[in-house]
Amino acid sequence: GNPAAATLRTPPRWSPEMESTYSFRIYSQDTFVWCITTDLQPAQQCAAIIQQLGGAARDLARQMQPAEMMNGGVINGQPVDAVTLLFHGLQQRFAPLQEETRLAALTSFMSFQRRPNERINELLTRFETVQNSAEFEAGFTMSYEGLSYTLLRIVGVSDTQLLQLLQPYSGNFPTTQPEYHTLMS
């Protein structure tokens, strides 16, 4: 099932092996939202989060002392609750994976190509997914002109087709989101 699927009492699940499809950063955000919505106390939240961890993340979390799970601990001289203490430890160990995720998202966008016999709808969906990932994971943004140019180059339109497609925009590439979405459709 979906690792991000959580209930009022069950947080999202995560393990380092999931990094490529469910990054630690997004998992952390999802868990933060879960902590706000659950009615569990911080010690119970910490225990529930640990139960949903897998692999090396679970091994690391198991090193927490019972007193730390119940009462939290101290980070840089500041007292913190159990969940904050747990995530501090997880972040120390698994945040470096974020750089790999960032690079992978950027590389996927920059090297995007049409697959043999791929239908245009499938290509557009894949392109949008890869572009969103590059934006969200790597903070990479491109103008609508750049996206339009990139997409039309990947699709492989002829010069004649290009002129036809750009006619509604006075021969220019779209510069706004509505124009870009119109071009895509």
Side-chain angles (χ1 to χ4, degrees), residues 83-122:
V83 174
T84 304
L85 187 64
L86 171 63
F87 267 86
H88 178 73
L90 291 172
Q91 193 159 18
Q92 302 282 94
R93 174 65 184 83
F94 300 110
L97 293 176
Q98 292 175 333
E99 183 58 26
E100 296 170 29
T101 302
R102 199 180 77 70
L103 222 58
L106 199 53
T107 303
S108 290
F109 179 78
M110 298 309 265
S111 61
F112 189 90
Q113 292 181 7
R114 189 172 192 168
R115 295 175 176 157
N117 306 318
E118 185 174 34
R119 300 208 324 267
I120 192 71
N121 287 349
E122 293 163 0

Side-chain angles (χ1 to χ4, degrees), residues 3-183:
T7 66
L8 197 56
R9 298 199 153 233
T10 307
R13 61 185 172 77
W14 189 81
S15 71
E17 295 76 18
M18 299 163 72
E19 180 68 23
S20 62
T21 54
Y22 188 42
S23 72
F24 179 73
R25 186 169 65 78
I26 296 171
Y27 161 72
S28 299
Q29 290 173 334
D30 289 349
T31 304
F32 175 71
V33 170
W34 175 82
C35 286
I36 293 170
T37 58
T38 186
D39 58 356
L40 298 176
Q41 296 303 306
Q44 294 170 308
Q45 291 175 11
C46 184
I49 291 166
I50 290 170
Q51 287 178 324
Q52 292 293 93
L53 291 172
R58 187 171 205 155
D59 295 340
L60 181 70
R62 283 187 179 135
Q63 293 175 14
M64 273 184 94
Q65 299 303 309
E68 292 173 321
M69 278 190 225
M70 291 300 296
N71 310 313
V74 177
I75 299 172
N76 301 325
Q78 296 286 66
V80 296
D81 65 83
V83 174
T84 304
L85 187 64
L86 171 63
F87 267 86
H88 178 73
L90 291 172
Q91 193 159 18
Q92 302 282 94
R93 174 65 184 83
F94 300 110
L97 293 176
Q98 292 175 333
E99 183 58 26
E100 296 170 29
T101 302
R102 199 180 77 70
L103 222 58
L106 199 53
T107 303
S108 290
F109 179 78
M110 298 309 265
S111 61
F112 189 90
Q113 292 181 7
R114 189 172 192 168
R115 295 175 176 157
N117 306 318
E118 185 174 34
R119 300 208 324 267
I120 192 71
N121 287 349
E122 293 163 0
L123 176 125
L124 292 174
T125 302
R126 239 174 18 92
F127 182 77
E128 193 172 9
T129 302
V130 168
Q131 187 253 321
N132 286 337
S133 178
E135 190 172 328
F136 193 71
E137 295 291 349
F140 177 80
T141 57
M142 186 182 267
S143 70
Y144 291 109
E145 289 170 294
L147 285 171
S148 302
Y149 171 80
T150 302
L151 184 59
L152 292 173
R153 182 184 51 75
I154 289 166
V155 170
V157 297
S158 68
D159 290 347
T160 310
Q161 290 169 321
L162 182 64
L163 290 173
Q164 285 176 329
L165 287 167
L166 299 182
Q167 196 172 10
Y169 317 104
S170 307
N172 298 312
F173 286 98
T175 56
T176 65
Q177 189 176 18
E179 289 176 350
Y180 175 69
H181 285 295
T182 301
L183 176 71

